[in-house]
Amino acid sequence: MSRDKATTLDGDLQKVVGHPVAELYEAAAGHDGSPPLARALELRSFLALTEEQVALVRDRVHADMDPDRGMGELSADRLRFDAQWLEAALEARDGYRAALGELLRTMPPPAQQARPVRTAQLRATATLPPSAAPAPQRAGAAQPADRESPRLPHLTSTDIAGRIEDLYGAPLADLEAHAQDQLPGMLSALLGMHDALALAERSINFHRDHLSRVLHPERQIGPQEVSHLLDGIRRLAEAVAVRETQATSVTAVLQSLARVPAPTPPTSSPPAPAPPLAPPSPARSR
């Protein structure tokens, strides 16, 4: 139940009302409750649910930021969906925090909150605001989990570089130097796709490291950090999508190519012996 979950405003609520939160729910359900207290506890219940939603999505994204996980395990579709849900949950959380904070500032002192009122036991059924919640999908439409990008083999730019070197039989640095003096062709195309893949991987590593610190479970996400956090997740999703595209393209091209063995030089054969000369014919007498 939401009454058993702590919130970030429990200390403020207890300071204003003068009693522990557990006792406040009992008082609100009895004869000695008051309308301001009932409204405060209702907002607190909604806040507890939204903060739990924020924590669930935060922990899921934080797990994806583990540097020990392969880049092929990341999904651009799942990251975009998590960013959408995290934005909705953070917007709802900040709205309930603002509403409860404003109510606590206007509540009368504890001595003036004794007007008896009987309220029904609160049941928290908070939902995300319509403006923040992701739009519902049509019946039968594929959910994000159903249309995730297919998982690729865990090929990295290092793996691709090794395959290019095997294909051409030379180190990558030598191939890059050679391609600069040649007209655009298959080698330059492969090197370009490899460079794009390596750049996407560097971007993934950068954003994963940043988000791993921002989304640490022991760290609170402040309102001023929301836009930067969501922007980081979206940029990470873009980098993952670029990596998936480049890895798919370069792998398909490499699979269609094969190294052609060098032609064997023709062996020199000894010259054919000259035909024997015909013997001279005897002179005819007259």
Side-chain angles (χ1 to χ4, degrees), residues 64-115:
D64 285 338
M65 301 304 106
D66 187 350
D68 294 333
R69 299 186 63 177
M71 291 188 181
E73 298 180 47
L74 293 174
S75 166
D77 290 334
R78 188 170 64 242
L79 286 169
R80 294 190 187 101
F81 185 72
D82 284 340
Q84 189 178 16
W85 270 107
L86 186 58
E87 180 179 17
L90 287 169
E91 182 177 342
R93 182 206 68 176
D94 293 343
Y96 288 128
R97 278 179 57 89
L100 180 55
E102 181 64 24
L103 178 60
L104 293 178
R105 284 190 293 271
T106 59
M107 284 184 66
Q112 301 179 16
Q113 298 178 17
R115 188 173 61 167

mmCIF file of all heavy atoms in Angstrom, residues 64-115:
data_model
loop_
_atom_site.group_PDB
_atom_site.id
_atom_site.type_symbol
_atom_site.label_atom_id
_atom_site.label_comp_id
_atom_site.label_asym_id
_atom_site.label_seq_id
_atom_site.Cartn_x
_atom_site.Cartn_y
_atom_site.Cartn_z
ATOM 1 N N ASP A 64 20.872 -0.953 -17.790
ATOM 2 C CA ASP A 64 21.370 -0.951 -19.165
ATOM 3 C C ASP A 64 22.687 -0.203 -19.299
ATOM 4 O O ASP A 64 23.401 -0.381 -20.298
ATOM 5 C CB ASP A 64 20.337 -0.328 -20.111
ATOM 6 C CG ASP A 64 19.168 -1.257 -20.379
ATOM 7 O OD1 ASP A 64 19.331 -2.476 -20.198
ATOM 8 O OD2 ASP A 64 18.085 -0.759 -20.756
ATOM 9 N N MET A 65 22.998 0.650 -18.330
ATOM 10 C CA MET A 65 24.218 1.442 -18.405
ATOM 11 C C MET A 65 25.436 0.688 -17.900
ATOM 12 O O MET A 65 26.543 1.222 -17.896
ATOM 13 C CB MET A 65 24.062 2.734 -17.588
ATOM 14 C CG MET A 65 22.909 3.633 -18.023
ATOM 15 S SD MET A 65 22.971 4.101 -19.762
ATOM 16 C CE MET A 65 21.662 3.091 -20.453
ATOM 17 N N ASP A 66 25.266 -0.550 -17.461
ATOM 18 C CA ASP A 66 26.383 -1.339 -16.944
ATOM 19 C C ASP A 66 27.430 -1.504 -18.040
ATOM 20 O O ASP A 66 27.135 -2.048 -19.109
ATOM 21 C CB ASP A 66 25.882 -2.714 -16.487
ATOM 22 C CG ASP A 66 26.965 -3.528 -15.774
ATOM 23 O OD1 ASP A 66 28.142 -3.105 -15.808
ATOM 24 O OD2 ASP A 66 26.627 -4.582 -15.199
ATOM 25 N N PRO A 67 28.663 -1.030 -17.823
ATOM 26 C CA PRO A 67 29.679 -1.131 -18.878
ATOM 27 C C PRO A 67 30.047 -2.564 -19.220
ATOM 28 O O PRO A 67 30.645 -2.810 -20.271
ATOM 29 C CB PRO A 67 30.878 -0.370 -18.287
ATOM 30 C CG PRO A 67 30.662 -0.386 -16.809
ATOM 31 C CD PRO A 67 29.179 -0.368 -16.614
ATOM 32 N N ASP A 68 29.721 -3.526 -18.341
ATOM 33 C CA ASP A 68 30.031 -4.924 -18.619
ATOM 34 C C ASP A 68 29.052 -5.561 -19.598
ATOM 35 O O ASP A 68 29.307 -6.664 -20.093
ATOM 36 C CB ASP A 68 30.051 -5.734 -17.316
ATOM 37 C CG ASP A 68 31.186 -5.319 -16.389
ATOM 38 O OD1 ASP A 68 32.212 -4.819 -16.909
ATOM 39 O OD2 ASP A 68 31.048 -5.479 -15.163
ATOM 40 N N ARG A 69 27.933 -4.894 -19.857
ATOM 41 C CA ARG A 69 26.967 -5.432 -20.809
ATOM 42 C C ARG A 69 27.384 -5.071 -22.223
ATOM 43 O O ARG A 69 27.843 -3.964 -22.497
ATOM 44 C CB ARG A 69 25.563 -4.892 -20.520
ATOM 45 C CG ARG A 69 25.034 -5.268 -19.156
ATOM 46 C CD ARG A 69 23.600 -4.841 -18.975
ATOM 47 N NE ARG A 69 22.710 -5.521 -19.908
ATOM 48 C CZ ARG A 69 21.393 -5.358 -19.912
ATOM 49 N NH1 ARG A 69 20.821 -4.551 -19.046
ATOM 50 N NH2 ARG A 69 20.640 -6.008 -20.773
ATOM 51 N N GLY A 70 27.235 -6.003 -23.134
ATOM 52 C CA GLY A 70 27.618 -5.760 -24.518
ATOM 53 C C GLY A 70 26.714 -4.735 -25.177
ATOM 54 O O GLY A 70 25.529 -4.594 -24.835
ATOM 55 N N MET A 71 27.274 -3.999 -26.135
ATOM 56 C CA MET A 71 26.472 -2.993 -26.829
ATOM 57 C C MET A 71 25.353 -3.626 -27.642
ATOM 58 O O MET A 71 24.321 -3.004 -27.881
ATOM 59 C CB MET A 71 27.371 -2.158 -27.735
ATOM 60 C CG MET A 71 28.337 -1.267 -26.996
ATOM 61 S SD MET A 71 29.196 -0.135 -28.099
ATOM 62 C CE MET A 71 30.253 0.707 -26.910
ATOM 63 N N GLY A 72 25.553 -4.870 -28.063
ATOM 64 C CA GLY A 72 24.504 -5.535 -28.818
ATOM 65 C C GLY A 72 23.259 -5.827 -28.004
ATOM 66 O O GLY A 72 22.221 -6.137 -28.557
ATOM 67 N N GLU A 73 23.360 -5.735 -26.662
ATOM 68 C CA GLU A 73 22.198 -5.969 -25.804
ATOM 69 C C GLU A 73 21.332 -4.728 -25.667
ATOM 70 O O GLU A 73 20.206 -4.807 -25.164
ATOM 71 C CB GLU A 73 22.660 -6.415 -24.418
ATOM 72 C CG GLU A 73 23.444 -7.717 -24.410
ATOM 73 C CD GLU A 73 23.864 -8.114 -23.011
ATOM 74 O OE1 GLU A 73 23.015 -8.073 -22.103
ATOM 75 O OE2 GLU A 73 25.047 -8.448 -22.813
ATOM 76 N N LEU A 74 21.841 -3.558 -26.076
ATOM 77 C CA LEU A 74 21.050 -2.329 -25.991
ATOM 78 C C LEU A 74 20.028 -2.281 -27.114
ATOM 79 O O LEU A 74 20.265 -2.762 -28.216
ATOM 80 C CB LEU A 74 21.965 -1.111 -26.074
ATOM 81 C CG LEU A 74 22.923 -0.886 -24.904
ATOM 82 C CD1 LEU A 74 23.863 0.274 -25.200
ATOM 83 C CD2 LEU A 74 22.159 -0.631 -23.618
ATOM 84 N N SER A 75 18.879 -1.698 -26.820
ATOM 85 C CA SER A 75 17.802 -1.570 -27.796
ATOM 86 C C SER A 75 17.389 -0.111 -27.885
ATOM 87 O O SER A 75 17.013 0.504 -26.882
ATOM 88 C CB SER A 75 16.601 -2.430 -27.394
ATOM 89 O OG SER A 75 15.453 -2.067 -28.132
ATOM 90 N N ALA A 76 17.467 0.463 -29.075
ATOM 91 C CA ALA A 76 17.056 1.850 -29.257
ATOM 92 C C ALA A 76 15.568 2.012 -28.963
ATOM 93 O O ALA A 76 15.149 3.003 -28.352
ATOM 94 C CB ALA A 76 17.371 2.307 -30.679
ATOM 95 N N ASP A 77 14.741 1.051 -29.394
ATOM 96 C CA ASP A 77 13.298 1.147 -29.145
ATOM 97 C C ASP A 77 12.990 1.128 -27.655
ATOM 98 O O ASP A 77 12.164 1.902 -27.170
ATOM 99 C CB ASP A 77 12.566 -0.015 -29.828
ATOM 100 C CG ASP A 77 12.578 0.114 -31.338
ATOM 101 O OD1 ASP A 77 12.689 1.250 -31.828
ATOM 102 O OD2 ASP A 77 12.483 -0.914 -32.027
ATOM 103 N N ARG A 78 13.658 0.233 -26.903
ATOM 104 C CA ARG A 78 13.392 0.154 -25.467
ATOM 105 C C ARG A 78 13.862 1.413 -24.748
ATOM 106 O O ARG A 78 13.191 1.891 -23.820
ATOM 107 C CB ARG A 78 14.071 -1.081 -24.889
ATOM 108 C CG ARG A 78 13.687 -1.338 -23.429
ATOM 109 C CD ARG A 78 14.177 -2.692 -22.936
ATOM 110 N NE ARG A 78 15.630 -2.776 -22.934
ATOM 111 C CZ ARG A 78 16.326 -3.637 -23.653
ATOM 112 N NH1 ARG A 78 15.706 -4.468 -24.473
ATOM 113 N NH2 ARG A 78 17.644 -3.668 -23.591
ATOM 114 N N LEU A 79 14.984 1.970 -25.162
ATOM 115 C CA LEU A 79 15.475 3.201 -24.539
ATOM 116 C C LEU A 79 14.522 4.365 -24.796
ATOM 117 O O LEU A 79 14.256 5.165 -23.893
ATOM 118 C CB LEU A 79 16.870 3.528 -25.070
ATOM 119 C CG LEU A 79 18.012 2.657 -24.537
ATOM 120 C CD1 LEU A 79 19.281 2.893 -25.336
ATOM 121 C CD2 LEU A 79 18.247 2.932 -23.051
ATOM 122 N N ARG A 80 14.004 4.450 -26.022
ATOM 123 C CA ARG A 80 13.040 5.527 -26.312
ATOM 124 C C ARG A 80 11.774 5.363 -25.481
ATOM 125 O O ARG A 80 11.211 6.343 -24.977
ATOM 126 C CB ARG A 80 12.702 5.534 -27.803
ATOM 127 C CG ARG A 80 13.868 5.895 -28.717
ATOM 128 C CD ARG A 80 13.379 6.103 -30.144
ATOM 129 N NE ARG A 80 14.490 6.286 -31.062
ATOM 130 C CZ ARG A 80 14.970 5.342 -31.859
ATOM 131 N NH1 ARG A 80 14.418 4.135 -31.850
ATOM 132 N NH2 ARG A 80 15.977 5.586 -32.682
ATOM 133 N N PHE A 81 11.306 4.134 -25.347
ATOM 134 C CA PHE A 81 10.095 3.893 -24.558
ATOM 135 C C PHE A 81 10.338 4.221 -23.082
ATOM 136 O O PHE A 81 9.484 4.832 -22.420
ATOM 137 C CB PHE A 81 9.668 2.438 -24.718
ATOM 138 C CG PHE A 81 8.368 2.107 -24.033
ATOM 139 C CD1 PHE A 81 7.169 2.560 -24.529
ATOM 140 C CD2 PHE A 81 8.351 1.339 -22.873
ATOM 141 C CE1 PHE A 81 5.967 2.257 -23.894
ATOM 142 C CE2 PHE A 81 7.157 1.035 -22.236
ATOM 143 C CZ PHE A 81 5.963 1.495 -22.750
ATOM 144 N N ASP A 82 11.504 3.829 -22.552
ATOM 145 C CA ASP A 82 11.822 4.138 -21.159
ATOM 146 C C ASP A 82 11.937 5.642 -20.941
ATOM 147 O O ASP A 82 11.524 6.163 -19.895
ATOM 148 C CB ASP A 82 13.121 3.449 -20.743
ATOM 149 C CG ASP A 82 12.936 1.963 -20.491
ATOM 150 O OD1 ASP A 82 11.784 1.548 -20.258
ATOM 151 O OD2 ASP A 82 13.929 1.217 -20.518
ATOM 152 N N ALA A 83 12.496 6.355 -21.912
ATOM 153 C CA ALA A 83 12.580 7.805 -21.788
ATOM 154 C C ALA A 83 11.184 8.429 -21.747
ATOM 155 O O ALA A 83 10.918 9.364 -20.978
ATOM 156 C CB ALA A 83 13.382 8.387 -22.954
ATOM 157 N N GLN A 84 10.279 7.892 -22.546
ATOM 158 C CA GLN A 84 8.902 8.396 -22.572
ATOM 159 C C GLN A 84 8.211 8.164 -21.223
ATOM 160 O O GLN A 84 7.564 9.062 -20.669
ATOM 161 C CB GLN A 84 8.134 7.713 -23.699
ATOM 162 C CG GLN A 84 6.756 8.296 -23.974
ATOM 163 C CD GLN A 84 6.066 7.606 -25.133
ATOM 164 O OE1 GLN A 84 6.462 6.515 -25.545
ATOM 165 N NE2 GLN A 84 5.032 8.220 -25.666
ATOM 166 N N TRP A 85 8.370 6.959 -20.663
ATOM 167 C CA TRP A 85 7.733 6.653 -19.389
ATOM 168 C C TRP A 85 8.389 7.411 -18.241
ATOM 169 O O TRP A 85 7.714 7.863 -17.307
ATOM 170 C CB TRP A 85 7.792 5.154 -19.122
ATOM 171 C CG TRP A 85 6.595 4.436 -19.669
ATOM 172 C CD1 TRP A 85 6.545 3.627 -20.756
ATOM 173 C CD2 TRP A 85 5.262 4.505 -19.175
ATOM 174 N NE1 TRP A 85 5.266 3.183 -20.966
ATOM 175 C CE2 TRP A 85 4.454 3.710 -19.998
ATOM 176 C CE3 TRP A 85 4.665 5.176 -18.103
ATOM 177 C CZ2 TRP A 85 3.095 3.548 -19.802
ATOM 178 C CZ3 TRP A 85 3.301 5.018 -17.895
ATOM 179 C CH2 TRP A 85 2.531 4.219 -18.747
ATOM 180 N N LEU A 86 9.706 7.558 -18.297
ATOM 181 C CA LEU A 86 10.387 8.293 -17.234
ATOM 182 C C LEU A 86 9.969 9.756 -17.247
ATOM 183 O O LEU A 86 9.765 10.362 -16.181
ATOM 184 C CB LEU A 86 11.906 8.180 -17.409
ATOM 185 C CG LEU A 86 12.754 8.785 -16.284
ATOM 186 C CD1 LEU A 86 12.427 8.152 -14.944
ATOM 187 C CD2 LEU A 86 14.242 8.621 -16.593
ATOM 188 N N GLU A 87 9.820 10.326 -18.425
ATOM 189 C CA GLU A 87 9.361 11.711 -18.514
ATOM 190 C C GLU A 87 7.962 11.853 -17.923
ATOM 191 O O GLU A 87 7.675 12.804 -17.174
ATOM 192 C CB GLU A 87 9.358 12.167 -19.970
ATOM 193 C CG GLU A 87 8.900 13.605 -20.159
ATOM 194 C CD GLU A 87 8.931 14.032 -21.608
ATOM 195 O OE1 GLU A 87 8.988 13.163 -22.499
ATOM 196 O OE2 GLU A 87 8.891 15.252 -21.858
ATOM 197 N N ALA A 88 7.067 10.903 -18.241
ATOM 198 C CA ALA A 88 5.713 10.965 -17.699
ATOM 199 C C ALA A 88 5.709 10.815 -16.182
ATOM 200 O O ALA A 88 5.009 11.539 -15.475
ATOM 201 C CB ALA A 88 4.860 9.868 -18.345
ATOM 202 N N ALA A 89 6.497 9.867 -15.673
ATOM 203 C CA ALA A 89 6.526 9.645 -14.226
ATOM 204 C C ALA A 89 7.136 10.830 -13.493
ATOM 205 O O ALA A 89 6.652 11.228 -12.419
ATOM 206 C CB ALA A 89 7.317 8.370 -13.919
ATOM 207 N N LEU A 90 8.182 11.427 -14.055
ATOM 208 C CA LEU A 90 8.804 12.590 -13.412
ATOM 209 C C LEU A 90 7.873 13.796 -13.429
ATOM 210 O O LEU A 90 7.814 14.555 -12.458
ATOM 211 C CB LEU A 90 10.116 12.926 -14.116
ATOM 212 C CG LEU A 90 11.288 11.972 -13.850
ATOM 213 C CD1 LEU A 90 12.440 12.258 -14.799
ATOM 214 C CD2 LEU A 90 11.747 12.087 -12.400
ATOM 215 N N GLU A 91 7.140 13.969 -14.520
ATOM 216 C CA GLU A 91 6.196 15.094 -14.585
ATOM 217 C C GLU A 91 5.084 14.921 -13.544
ATOM 218 O O GLU A 91 4.696 15.878 -12.866
ATOM 219 C CB GLU A 91 5.596 15.188 -15.987
ATOM 220 C CG GLU A 91 4.635 16.362 -16.153
ATOM 221 C CD GLU A 91 4.119 16.478 -17.562
ATOM 222 O OE1 GLU A 91 4.729 15.887 -18.482
ATOM 223 O OE2 GLU A 91 3.090 17.170 -17.767
ATOM 224 N N ALA A 92 4.576 13.682 -13.424
ATOM 225 C CA ALA A 92 3.551 13.435 -12.411
ATOM 226 C C ALA A 92 4.105 13.619 -11.008
ATOM 227 O O ALA A 92 3.466 14.224 -10.142
ATOM 228 C CB ALA A 92 2.988 12.024 -12.577
ATOM 229 N N ARG A 93 5.306 13.103 -10.760
ATOM 230 C CA ARG A 93 5.923 13.255 -9.437
ATOM 231 C C ARG A 93 6.101 14.711 -9.063
ATOM 232 O O ARG A 93 5.753 15.133 -7.952
ATOM 233 C CB ARG A 93 7.284 12.550 -9.420
ATOM 234 C CG ARG A 93 7.986 12.609 -8.083
ATOM 235 C CD ARG A 93 9.484 12.498 -8.224
ATOM 236 N NE ARG A 93 10.058 13.663 -8.886
ATOM 237 C CZ ARG A 93 11.365 13.856 -9.064
ATOM 238 N NH1 ARG A 93 12.206 12.916 -8.667
ATOM 239 N NH2 ARG A 93 11.812 14.949 -9.671
ATOM 240 N N ASP A 94 6.626 15.505 -9.985
ATOM 241 C CA ASP A 94 6.847 16.917 -9.684
ATOM 242 C C ASP A 94 5.531 17.657 -9.466
ATOM 243 O O ASP A 94 5.448 18.574 -8.641
ATOM 244 C CB ASP A 94 7.631 17.573 -10.821
ATOM 245 C CG ASP A 94 9.059 17.047 -10.920
ATOM 246 O OD1 ASP A 94 9.539 16.437 -9.937
ATOM 247 O OD2 ASP A 94 9.693 17.244 -11.977
ATOM 248 N N GLY A 95 4.483 17.245 -10.200
ATOM 249 C CA GLY A 95 3.179 17.876 -9.995
ATOM 250 C C GLY A 95 2.615 17.585 -8.613
ATOM 251 O O GLY A 95 2.101 18.489 -7.931
ATOM 252 N N TYR A 96 2.703 16.330 -8.164
ATOM 253 C CA TYR A 96 2.195 15.987 -6.833
ATOM 254 C C TYR A 96 3.067 16.604 -5.735
ATOM 255 O O TYR A 96 2.558 17.009 -4.688
ATOM 256 C CB TYR A 96 2.138 14.470 -6.674
ATOM 257 C CG TYR A 96 1.029 13.830 -7.474
ATOM 258 C CD1 TYR A 96 1.286 12.766 -8.341
ATOM 259 C CD2 TYR A 96 -0.286 14.289 -7.370
ATOM 260 C CE1 TYR A 96 0.268 12.186 -9.074
ATOM 261 C CE2 TYR A 96 -1.295 13.706 -8.110
ATOM 262 C CZ TYR A 96 -1.022 12.666 -8.959
ATOM 263 O OH TYR A 96 -2.035 12.095 -9.696
ATOM 264 N N ARG A 97 4.367 16.683 -5.962
ATOM 265 C CA ARG A 97 5.236 17.324 -4.972
ATOM 266 C C ARG A 97 4.871 18.799 -4.823
ATOM 267 O O ARG A 97 4.802 19.320 -3.699
ATOM 268 C CB ARG A 97 6.704 17.198 -5.390
ATOM 269 C CG ARG A 97 7.354 15.869 -5.032
ATOM 270 C CD ARG A 97 8.792 15.839 -5.516
ATOM 271 N NE ARG A 97 9.543 16.951 -4.959
ATOM 272 C CZ ARG A 97 10.196 16.905 -3.793
ATOM 273 N NH1 ARG A 97 10.176 15.790 -3.072
ATOM 274 N NH2 ARG A 97 10.859 17.952 -3.351
ATOM 275 N N ALA A 98 4.632 19.469 -5.942
ATOM 276 C CA ALA A 98 4.282 20.888 -5.887
ATOM 277 C C ALA A 98 2.934 21.087 -5.199
ATOM 278 O O ALA A 98 2.775 21.996 -4.373
ATOM 279 C CB ALA A 98 4.255 21.470 -7.297
ATOM 280 N N ALA A 99 1.952 20.236 -5.520
ATOM 281 C CA ALA A 99 0.626 20.380 -4.914
ATOM 282 C C ALA A 99 0.673 20.111 -3.415
ATOM 283 O O ALA A 99 0.077 20.858 -2.622
ATOM 284 C CB ALA A 99 -0.357 19.430 -5.592
ATOM 285 N N LEU A 100 1.381 19.059 -3.005
ATOM 286 C CA LEU A 100 1.457 18.747 -1.580
ATOM 287 C C LEU A 100 2.260 19.802 -0.839
ATOM 288 O O LEU A 100 1.893 20.200 0.278
ATOM 289 C CB LEU A 100 2.097 17.368 -1.390
ATOM 290 C CG LEU A 100 2.256 16.896 0.063
ATOM 291 C CD1 LEU A 100 0.923 16.913 0.801
ATOM 292 C CD2 LEU A 100 2.873 15.499 0.111
ATOM 293 N N GLY A 101 3.333 20.278 -1.449
ATOM 294 C CA GLY A 101 4.112 21.330 -0.807
ATOM 295 C C GLY A 101 3.308 22.597 -0.600
ATOM 296 O O GLY A 101 3.393 23.232 0.459
ATOM 297 N N GLU A 102 2.512 22.968 -1.585
ATOM 298 C CA GLU A 102 1.677 24.164 -1.449
ATOM 299 C C GLU A 102 0.612 23.969 -0.375
ATOM 300 O O GLU A 102 0.316 24.885 0.414
ATOM 301 C CB GLU A 102 1.019 24.474 -2.797
ATOM 302 C CG GLU A 102 0.129 25.717 -2.786
ATOM 303 C CD GLU A 102 0.917 26.980 -2.510
ATOM 304 O OE1 GLU A 102 2.135 27.004 -2.767
ATOM 305 O OE2 GLU A 102 0.293 27.964 -2.030
ATOM 306 N N LEU A 103 0.030 22.776 -0.314
ATOM 307 C CA LEU A 103 -0.979 22.511 0.707
ATOM 308 C C LEU A 103 -0.373 22.567 2.106
ATOM 309 O O LEU A 103 -0.982 23.123 3.039
ATOM 310 C CB LEU A 103 -1.613 21.141 0.467
ATOM 311 C CG LEU A 103 -2.667 20.685 1.484
ATOM 312 C CD1 LEU A 103 -3.839 21.666 1.534
ATOM 313 C CD2 LEU A 103 -3.151 19.280 1.161
ATOM 314 N N LEU A 104 0.819 22.006 2.265
ATOM 315 C CA LEU A 104 1.457 22.039 3.582
ATOM 316 C C LEU A 104 1.778 23.456 4.023
ATOM 317 O O LEU A 104 1.729 23.775 5.224
ATOM 318 C CB LEU A 104 2.736 21.194 3.562
ATOM 319 C CG LEU A 104 2.543 19.681 3.377
ATOM 320 C CD1 LEU A 104 3.894 18.979 3.322
ATOM 321 C CD2 LEU A 104 1.681 19.106 4.491
ATOM 322 N N ARG A 105 2.084 24.323 3.080
ATOM 323 C CA ARG A 105 2.385 25.719 3.443
ATOM 324 C C ARG A 105 1.148 26.468 3.897
ATOM 325 O O ARG A 105 1.245 27.464 4.631
ATOM 326 C CB ARG A 105 3.023 26.442 2.256
ATOM 327 C CG ARG A 105 4.480 26.076 2.030
ATOM 328 C CD ARG A 105 5.141 26.994 1.012
ATOM 329 N NE ARG A 105 4.594 26.817 -0.313
ATOM 330 C CZ ARG A 105 5.069 25.935 -1.193
ATOM 331 N NH1 ARG A 105 6.085 25.147 -0.857
ATOM 332 N NH2 ARG A 105 4.534 25.834 -2.382
ATOM 333 N N THR A 106 -0.023 26.028 3.468
ATOM 334 C CA THR A 106 -1.263 26.734 3.823
ATOM 335 C C THR A 106 -2.058 26.034 4.920
ATOM 336 O O THR A 106 -3.113 26.542 5.322
ATOM 337 C CB THR A 106 -2.153 26.867 2.579
ATOM 338 O OG1 THR A 106 -2.467 25.561 2.065
ATOM 339 C CG2 THR A 106 -1.450 27.670 1.499
ATOM 340 N N MET A 107 -1.594 24.878 5.378
ATOM 341 C CA MET A 107 -2.341 24.165 6.417
ATOM 342 C C MET A 107 -2.235 24.905 7.742
ATOM 343 O O MET A 107 -1.189 25.469 8.077
ATOM 344 C CB MET A 107 -1.808 22.733 6.572
ATOM 345 C CG MET A 107 -2.251 21.785 5.480
ATOM 346 S SD MET A 107 -1.690 20.076 5.758
ATOM 347 C CE MET A 107 -2.601 19.659 7.237
ATOM 348 N N PRO A 108 -3.302 24.903 8.527
ATOM 349 C CA PRO A 108 -3.254 25.562 9.840
ATOM 350 C C PRO A 108 -2.355 24.788 10.805
ATOM 351 O O PRO A 108 -2.033 23.618 10.563
ATOM 352 C CB PRO A 108 -4.713 25.542 10.294
ATOM 353 C CG PRO A 108 -5.317 24.384 9.568
ATOM 354 C CD PRO A 108 -4.622 24.314 8.245
ATOM 355 N N PRO A 109 -1.938 25.414 11.882
ATOM 356 C CA PRO A 109 -1.137 24.719 12.886
ATOM 357 C C PRO A 109 -1.885 23.511 13.439
ATOM 358 O O PRO A 109 -3.114 23.414 13.342
ATOM 359 C CB PRO A 109 -0.911 25.785 13.967
ATOM 360 C CG PRO A 109 -1.135 27.090 13.277
ATOM 361 C CD PRO A 109 -2.162 26.828 12.231
ATOM 362 N N PRO A 110 -1.148 22.543 14.039
ATOM 363 C CA PRO A 110 -1.790 21.332 14.564
ATOM 364 C C PRO A 110 -2.936 21.610 15.515
ATOM 365 O O PRO A 110 -3.930 20.891 15.536
ATOM 366 C CB PRO A 110 -0.638 20.601 15.249
ATOM 367 C CG PRO A 110 0.586 21.084 14.546
ATOM 368 C CD PRO A 110 0.312 22.513 14.187
ATOM 369 N N ALA A 111 -2.859 22.669 16.309
ATOM 370 C CA ALA A 111 -3.909 22.955 17.289
ATOM 371 C C ALA A 111 -5.223 23.333 16.623
ATOM 372 O O ALA A 111 -6.290 23.208 17.223
ATOM 373 C CB ALA A 111 -3.465 24.076 18.222
ATOM 374 N N GLN A 112 -5.169 23.823 15.394
ATOM 375 C CA GLN A 112 -6.386 24.252 14.696
ATOM 376 C C GLN A 112 -6.904 23.189 13.733
ATOM 377 O O GLN A 112 -7.793 23.449 12.939
ATOM 378 C CB GLN A 112 -6.100 25.544 13.925
ATOM 379 C CG GLN A 112 -5.628 26.687 14.812
ATOM 380 C CD GLN A 112 -5.336 27.936 14.009
ATOM 381 O OE1 GLN A 112 -5.742 28.060 12.851
ATOM 382 N NE2 GLN A 112 -4.645 28.890 14.628
ATOM 383 N N GLN A 113 -6.334 21.982 13.763
ATOM 384 C CA GLN A 113 -6.753 20.936 12.845
ATOM 385 C C GLN A 113 -7.619 19.885 13.529
ATOM 386 O O GLN A 113 -7.693 18.749 13.098
ATOM 387 C CB GLN A 113 -5.514 20.250 12.257
ATOM 388 C CG GLN A 113 -4.635 21.178 11.439
ATOM 389 C CD GLN A 113 -3.420 20.475 10.920
ATOM 390 O OE1 GLN A 113 -3.364 19.254 10.901
ATOM 391 N NE2 GLN A 113 -2.423 21.239 10.484
ATOM 392 N N ALA A 114 -8.275 20.273 14.604
ATOM 393 C CA ALA A 114 -9.029 19.300 15.393
ATOM 394 C C ALA A 114 -10.491 19.213 15.020
ATOM 395 O O ALA A 114 -11.261 18.567 15.703
ATOM 396 C CB ALA A 114 -8.905 19.630 16.875
ATOM 397 N N ARG A 115 -10.934 19.936 13.959
ATOM 398 C CA ARG A 115 -12.338 19.843 13.603
ATOM 399 C C ARG A 115 -12.651 18.434 13.137
ATOM 400 O O ARG A 115 -12.050 17.932 12.192
ATOM 401 C CB ARG A 115 -12.665 20.829 12.478
ATOM 402 C CG ARG A 115 -14.164 20.896 12.203
ATOM 403 C CD ARG A 115 -14.496 21.968 11.223
ATOM 404 N NE ARG A 115 -13.842 21.745 9.933
ATOM 405 C CZ ARG A 115 -14.182 22.409 8.833
ATOM 406 N NH1 ARG A 115 -15.130 23.328 8.886
ATOM 407 N NH2 ARG A 115 -13.559 22.178 7.707
#
